[in-house]
Amino acid sequence: GLKRKGLKDELKSRVTSGINMRGPLEVQQLAWPVISSGCDAVVVSEAGSGKTLAYLLPILQLLLDPPDPSRASRAVIAVPSTDLASQVLGVAQQLTEGTSLVASAPTTSGSDVIVGTIPECLAYVCQPKGKKRAADSSSTLTRLVVDEADILLAGLRKKGRASTGQPVMKILGEVKHARKQAEKAISKRNLSVKKTAEALDRERIFQLILVSATVPSQGDASVGALVNELFPSIKWIRSSGAHRPVPQLTSSFITVAGDEERQDELIKLVRNPSNRTLVFANSAARANHVAKFLRAEGLTVGIYQPELSPGHRAAAVEIFNRTPKGVLVCSGLAARGLDFSPVGLVVQYQLAPHMVEYMHRVGRTARAGRPGAAVALVTEHSAPEIALMQEVQRCIRGSWKYV
């Protein structure tokens, strides 16, 4: 684990003072030896369990203390949204402050750690035909992270074959192509099996790390099947709580007959909040509707949905984070990866459309060992909603009640 291996002093001081981390969490202990050894890895752990540090710390350690000092090394961290990119970059910059490393968005040159969306990172990983690579990309680039990998890869394996047109598949295709080219070149040297393995490890261009709270593995079309097809030797790291709500989460399910009762129940839940509250709806339009009727009730609420500009979304989060009893109405965009100041309650005004989305939504509370509560408003005559509620209840480790 982290304690046994030991962080470099310059990183250790940033961990303890810069981000106030008291000790390694389970997923960080599990990921450290795998990632720091240079292996490809899939990191699967529940929301709020410390996945960002689980990959950032060993990567930064490798950049500061490379196994082969003669090789230049950079990291690229690709995420699905600009909001998440800004958040991950902020953590990376906190950790690298005072070190020799520089973390930045893809628009800045001379960086050791580049954090951006998949399209922004394409030029730093892929070499377009007839075009030069981006100025900061190079054949020595070795650390590639795809965060929230499940949402980026979902639906890309159909009828037993992987789709190749999506930007994320172009990135993964480049990794696979580079591996094949290296294997082809090294095979011509007539080395022993051991020497061949050592050469492949020494001369490979990429270390690949895929990260998510949920990576479905059931069925030929699942994300897990796609990953194993592309990278058969990749190592899987799973926390003990992967694919389940954390035990310190208290879950409640309230059945409602229709929209009028749904609105009444929501108003009761957010009228006098004891802590920050997130309210989820299933679309931008419905999030706008919820915010409008709550404001008509005299409540002060913010809104976070994809039709707002990044600046407006960032402002809404900033106000929410500095308001101890704030209420923020969200679409599913807020369920992925974002860290808020401690949230005490997550309300699903509309139940998530599937289990993966449910897990990400409730993962905004009860983070880093703190207690939290989640309430879902379930339409009483909706068979899909009742079925999802029952599926959630079967996998809950904390307490739950049905109203």
Side-chain angles (χ1 to χ4, degrees):
L2 281 154
K3 291 181 178 177
R4 183 181 73 241
K5 175 70 176 178
L7 285 169
K8 289 183 71 66
D9 288 342
E10 52 197 312
L11 269 183
K12 192 180 296 182
S13 64
R14 297 306 305 152
V15 167
T16 55
S17 61
I19 60 175
N20 198 30
M21 176 181 166
R22 298 306 178 196
L25 300 173
E26 181 194 15
V27 69
Q28 295 158 3
Q29 294 267 22
L30 293 172
W32 178 268
V34 177
I35 296 176
S36 61
S37 68
C39 293
D40 294 344
V42 182
V43 181
V44 186
S45 185
E46 62 271 26
S49 61
K51 292 186 295 296
T52 302
L53 291 184
Y55 67 75
L56 271 179
L57 289 175
I59 285 175
L60 296 178
Q61 178 100 338
L62 286 168
L63 294 178
L64 288 166
D65 187 16
D68 181 0
S70 66
R71 288 192 73 189
S73 180
R74 289 191 179 94
V76 171
I77 301 171
V79 301
S81 70
T82 55
D83 297 9
L84 184 54
S86 177
Q87 178 179 290
V88 173
L89 177 58
V91 176
Q93 289 175 332
Q94 282 185 299
L95 289 171
T96 55
E97 184 180 344
T99 73
S100 59
L101 301 177
V102 175
S104 77
T107 52
T108 303
S109 61
S111 299
D112 305 285
V113 181
I114 298 162
V115 185
T117 62
I118 290 287
E120 290 172 333
C121 291
L122 271 174
Y124 292 85
V125 177
C126 304
Q127 185 171 8
K129 292 180 180 179
K131 294 183 180 181
K132 294 182 178 180
R133 287 179 181 264
D136 271 4
S137 66
S138 109
S139 61
T140 60
L141 177 66
T142 55
R143 320 292 172 194
L144 172 63
V145 177
V146 179
D147 203 346
E148 298 292 342
D150 67 317
I151 193 172
L152 293 166
L153 295 173
L156 296 186
R157 191 175 192 272
K158 299 177 179 178
K159 297 181 179 179
R161 300 183 62 183
S163 170
T164 58
Q166 296 297 320
V168 67
M169 290 301 295
K170 291 180 180 179
I171 285 180
L172 297 184
E174 184 78 5
V175 174
K176 193 169 180 65
H177 175 71
R179 298 272 168 84
K180 286 185 176 180
Q181 291 294 101
E183 290 170 2
K184 185 176 180 180
I186 291 170
S187 68
K188 296 178 180 179
R189 302 180 194 173
N190 296 318
L191 301 174
S192 67
V193 173
K194 182 179 179 182
K195 292 291 186 182
T196 296
E198 290 173 351
L200 285 169
D201 185 59
R202 183 175 59 251
E203 298 176 27
R204 66 181 180 154
I205 296 174
F206 297 106
Q207 176 188 12
L208 176 65
I209 302 159
L210 305 176
V211 184
S212 185
T214 52
V215 180
S217 299
Q218 300 297 317
D220 290 342
S222 69
V223 172
L226 173 60
V227 171
N228 284 326
E229 176 193 337
L230 293 172
F231 306 102
S233 62
I234 200 164
K235 294 185 181 296
W236 287 76
I237 301 165
R238 291 183 176 92
S239 70
S240 59
H243 296 139
R244 292 189 294 174
V246 293
Q248 65 270 21
L249 177 70
T250 301
S251 301
S252 301
F253 303 89
I254 300 174
T255 56
V256 295
D259 283 350
E260 184 175 346
E261 188 177 355
R262 190 185 308 274
Q263 292 185 12
D264 290 343
E265 291 292 345
L266 178 61
I267 291 167
K268 285 190 285 186
L269 287 166
V270 303
R271 175 72 73 185
N272 296 297
S274 58
N275 206 320
R276 291 178 189 86
T277 300
L278 289 176
V279 178
F280 279 99
N282 287 349
S283 67
R286 187 52 68 97
N288 290 337
H289 169 75
V290 173
K292 183 177 180 180
F293 81 69
L294 287 178
R295 288 167 178 165
E297 291 290 324
L299 299 171
T300 300
V301 301
I303 187 165
Y304 184 99
Q305 46 94 336
E307 293 177 357
L308 297 173
S309 69
H312 280 91
R313 292 198 300 268
V317 171
E318 181 183 357
I319 293 170
F320 179 69
N321 283 342
R322 55 183 167 84
T323 307
K325 296 183 180 182
V327 177
L328 186 65
V329 179
C330 315
S331 69
L333 180 65
R336 288 280 178 166
L338 291 180
D339 277 329
F340 298 99
S341 293
V343 172
L345 175 64
V346 168
V347 179
Q348 298 199 52
Y349 176 79
Q350 292 178 295
L351 189 63
H354 48 73
M355 185 65 167
V356 169
E357 177 72 7
Y358 179 93
M359 295 290 293
H360 283 278
R361 289 182 182 185
V362 301
R364 298 311 100 201
T365 186
R367 297 173 72 85
R370 299 184 186 91
V375 177
L377 303 180
V378 181
T379 307
E380 61 183 7
H381 298 301
S382 170
E385 291 188 24
I386 297 297
L388 178 57
M389 178 185 71
Q390 292 170 343
E391 182 183 359
V392 171
Q393 289 168 350
R394 285 193 294 270
C395 75
I396 283 176
R397 292 178 294 160
S399 60
W400 65 272
K401 60 182 179 180
Y402 177 72
V403 180

